Amino acid sequence: MASSGDEGRVVVDLRSAAESAAGAGDEEAHATPVHEIESLCMRCGENGTTRLLLTLIPHFREVVLMSFSCPHCGERNNEIQFAGQLQPKGCCYRLEVPSGQREILNRQVVKSDSATIKIPELDFEIPPVAQRGKCSTVEGIIMRAADELQALQDERKKVDPLKAEAIDQFLLKLRSLGSGEAAFTFILDDPAGNSFIENPHAPSSDPLLSVRFYERTREQQAALGFLAEPEQPGEAVLPASAAGSSSGGLQSEPHGSVGALAGRRAIAQGNPDEVAAALCRYAAPEEVEVLPCRCGCGAECETRFFATKIPYFREVIVMATTCDICGYRNSELKPGGEIPAKGKKITLRVQNAKDLTRDVIKSDSASVQVPELELELASGTLGGMVTTVEGLIVKTCEALERIHGFQLGDSTLEWKKKKWEDFKDRLSKLLNLQEPWTLILDDGLAASFVAPATDKLEDDKQLIIEEYQRSWEQNEELGLNDMDTSSADQAYDTTNT
């Protein structure tokens, strides 16, 4: 196996790796970061060579590129595996592919080992084990699936002719999608959050592409290697009435699933002390409570929380969790009280440096818009955070580069690079206040907040707060249409009377 490169570097960028490999002579062959391993060829049984390169795709992820070749039978294959950390949440990309638009089929797709691909129109699903991690296109994913189904057709015709005939008919439909002859929906669902579908319009939104981030289930956490202990009796503290009615004993919830333990639902991703200090400008905590919990590393830790009231906003609960064993730190802000009957749209006209320092609370359910940049982020894209106006825009752009910056590699077309450079120039002008600009937070749960610059909210002419009636689709997305609180309301009324 070759050495990992100069100065002990293990992860190198792709350009450096290519230049090192291309410029190395016979004596320098072992100085390249490419590792070679002799491995068995599953086609002919002879030994071939597997080459490994641990590299960093610019603005995307650390990955391991693997390529196998057999000199005896000519067998060749390659795949990609992610070497970096798993993302805090899973991601689900949904791409609408119209018929006759083959350019949509050429969009780049990064599929990790844990991703599932679905095409609802054909009731077709590619599970994670069927296709390993790879870099391809929408067309390439579909055609490879068709080729793998076609590979065993001769055997199926001998064993089960009826099933083979049905698969032949299905392959005709599948290949027609891969050639752009019919419209379909391409869904890429990855619990690890490490998959990606190209958005050629980035940083602007794409009407054909939507991205949704979600919390992983217990089963998904276990499959990805997270700590997801099975339910054990006696670990959770439940009321006596609940304990008496449970025949199977008490149940516990894994770390990151509910309530204060939901670390990946964090609103403030920064230092908990800084968040608490910022919020205490409005009201000091009367009392800090301590809740015992379990960290993701398995160690016991504590969550501290208190309730406070933010003027012009609402009552909130501030939570902070730290682990002395692994160093895990997390803080979050939960809105208190009932769910408001209406959503809220906050529009801020940024004109001076003081506006950039206004405090901002952005919840998970809020979308962000900057019309001057043609920038629009759907709800859940950034998660929630406590920051300032300037910090919100900077973190937005960092997230855009992380998600869409995969297109900024060595092979990117010049017009795409220029588009991002123009976007950054326009962003720099806005943050330098060379011209006024507008920040819009649209939150269906009315859980977001922008601090006013005056003592009276109505005197702040740059800040406009509008309430609106949520649509049925918004209530459905937020899970409010199926929420039934009649039993709780009846019990509450009975208690009060």
Side-chain angles (χ1 to χ4, degrees):
M1 182 179 295
S3 64
S4 60
D6 296 338
E7 301 179 0
R9 290 196 310 168
V10 177
V11 180
V12 297
D13 62 276
L14 202 55
R15 180 188 293 273
S16 300
E19 291 176 350
S20 177
D26 295 337
E27 298 179 357
E28 301 176 353
H30 293 284
T32 63
V34 178
H35 305 287
E36 294 188 358
I37 302 174
E38 187 176 0
S39 52
L40 178 68
C41 176
M42 303 305 296
R43 183 176 181 180
C44 66
E46 298 290 339
N47 283 341
T49 302
T50 297
R51 293 176 174 84
L52 306 176
L53 174 63
L54 181 60
T55 184
L56 176 66
I57 297 178
H59 309 293
F60 187 57
R61 305 278 195 280
E62 292 179 1
V63 297
V64 179
L65 301 177
M66 291 177 284
S67 175
F68 173 79
S69 61
C70 177
H72 304 282
C73 65
E75 173 72 7
R76 300 175 62 90
N77 63 67
N78 59 80
E79 63 179 271
I80 181 173
Q81 290 187 0
F82 293 94
Q85 63 181 2
L86 300 179
Q87 302 307 303
K89 293 185 178 182
C91 64
C92 181
Y93 288 81
R94 185 183 184 92
L95 177 64
E96 302 291 339
V97 183
S99 61
Q101 298 188 19
R102 291 189 57 87
E103 64 275 6
I104 306 295
L105 298 173
N106 292 329
R107 293 197 181 189
Q108 296 184 75
V109 175
V110 176
K111 176 191 176 299
S112 76
D113 287 338
S114 58
T116 300
I117 295 175
K118 301 177 183 178
I119 301 179
E121 288 78 3
L122 294 182
D123 196 19
F124 180 59
E125 177 177 321
I126 305 176
V129 296
Q131 287 191 15
R132 301 294 301 275
K134 63 182 301 184
C135 291
S136 185
T137 62
V138 176
E139 180 183 5
I141 294 287
I142 295 175
M143 290 305 185
R144 178 176 177 177
D147 292 341
E148 290 177 349
L149 284 174
Q150 183 68 47
L152 299 177
Q153 276 298 86
D154 293 338
E155 297 295 331
R156 292 192 188 99
K157 291 178 181 179
K158 298 176 183 178
V159 177
D160 192 342
L162 294 178
K163 180 183 292 187
E165 183 179 356
I167 292 179
D168 282 335
Q169 297 298 323
F170 177 82
L171 286 174
L172 291 176
K173 298 178 182 179
L174 186 61
R175 293 186 186 278
S176 67
L177 299 186
S179 59
E181 297 176 6
F184 67 98
T185 304
F186 187 87
I187 299 176
L188 179 61
D189 190 347
D190 185 8
N194 280 329
S195 294
F196 165 81
I197 295 180
E198 177 188 7
N199 174 12
H201 307 290
S204 302
S205 60
D206 184 355
L208 299 178
L209 180 65
S210 61
V211 186
R212 178 176 61 87
F213 299 92
Y214 60 88
E215 299 291 335
R216 285 182 277 263
T217 63
R218 178 196 296 266
E219 293 75 14
Q220 289 172 331
Q221 287 179 327
L224 294 174
F226 281 126
L227 179 65
E229 297 179 353
E231 297 180 355
Q232 298 292 337
E235 289 191 1
V237 179
L238 294 180
S241 60
S245 61
S246 176
S247 59
L250 302 179
Q251 296 181 343
S252 65
E253 297 293 340
H255 175 78
S257 59
V258 295
L261 299 182
R264 285 176 299 282
R265 295 182 187 177
I267 284 190
Q269 300 293 340
N271 189 319
D273 298 332
E274 296 176 358
V275 176
L279 292 175
C280 286
R281 280 190 255 168
Y282 301 103
E286 295 294 336
E287 183 179 0
V288 176
E289 302 289 345
V290 178
L291 180 69
C293 61
R294 184 179 294 274
C295 178
C297 68
E300 298 289 340
C301 60
E302 293 181 341
T303 293
R304 295 174 174 83
F305 65 94
F306 67 88
T308 185
K309 179 72 166 67
I310 298 179
Y312 307 112
F313 187 42
R314 61 194 297 179
E315 182 180 285
V316 297
I317 301 173
V318 183
M319 298 179 176
T321 304
T322 59
C323 178
D324 296 332
I325 304 300
C326 67
Y328 172 79
R329 302 185 66 172
N330 172 66
S331 59
E332 54 185 321
L333 186 78
K334 294 290 186 182
E338 63 182 6
I339 296 177
K342 295 182 178 181
K344 182 182 294 184
K345 181 179 180 181
I346 304 174
T347 304
L348 174 65
R349 187 67 175 170
V350 181
Q351 297 179 347
N352 50 55
K354 186 177 180 181
D355 293 329
L356 293 177
T357 61
R358 293 190 189 219
D359 292 323
V360 174
I361 297 176
K362 179 201 170 298
S363 73
D364 287 334
S365 57
S367 63
V368 179
Q369 300 178 41
V370 180
E372 289 78 4
L373 287 178
E374 299 179 0
L375 174 64
E376 181 176 353
L377 296 182
S379 59
T381 303
L382 285 178
M385 62 180 64
V386 177
T387 181
T388 62
V389 172
E390 181 180 12
L392 176 62
I393 299 302
V394 171
K395 290 182 179 181
T396 297
C397 296
E398 290 176 353
L400 285 172
E401 286 195 356
R402 183 182 66 82
I403 297 174
H404 301 295
F406 175 71
Q407 307 170 45
L408 305 181
D410 301 334
S411 61
T412 304
L413 299 177
E414 289 299 324
W415 69 270
K416 289 187 179 181
K417 290 184 179 179
K418 188 176 184 303
K419 184 177 181 180
W420 276 96
E421 292 173 356
D422 292 342
F423 173 78
K424 290 183 178 179
D425 291 340
R426 293 161 58 194
L427 172 66
S428 177
K429 291 180 180 179
L430 295 190
L431 294 181
N432 292 331
L433 298 175
Q434 297 184 15
E435 57 185 38
W437 54 281
T438 307
L439 173 67
I440 300 175
L441 292 179
D442 192 340
D443 192 346
L445 291 179
S448 295
F449 168 76
V450 175
T454 58
D455 293 335
K456 293 184 178 180
L457 183 61
E458 56 272 15
D459 294 339
D460 192 344
K461 304 303 181 182
Q462 297 172 228
L463 184 63
I464 301 175
I465 299 179
E466 304 172 83
E467 291 186 340
Y468 61 88
Q469 197 69 38
R470 287 186 293 265
S471 64
W472 186 91
E473 290 76 12
Q474 287 178 307
N475 286 331
E476 182 70 16
E477 182 179 354
L478 296 171
L480 301 180
N481 287 335
D482 299 327
M483 185 179 295
D484 183 9
T485 60
S486 56
S487 300
D489 294 339
Q490 183 179 0
Y492 179 78
D493 294 338
T494 303
T495 303
N496 287 343
T497 55

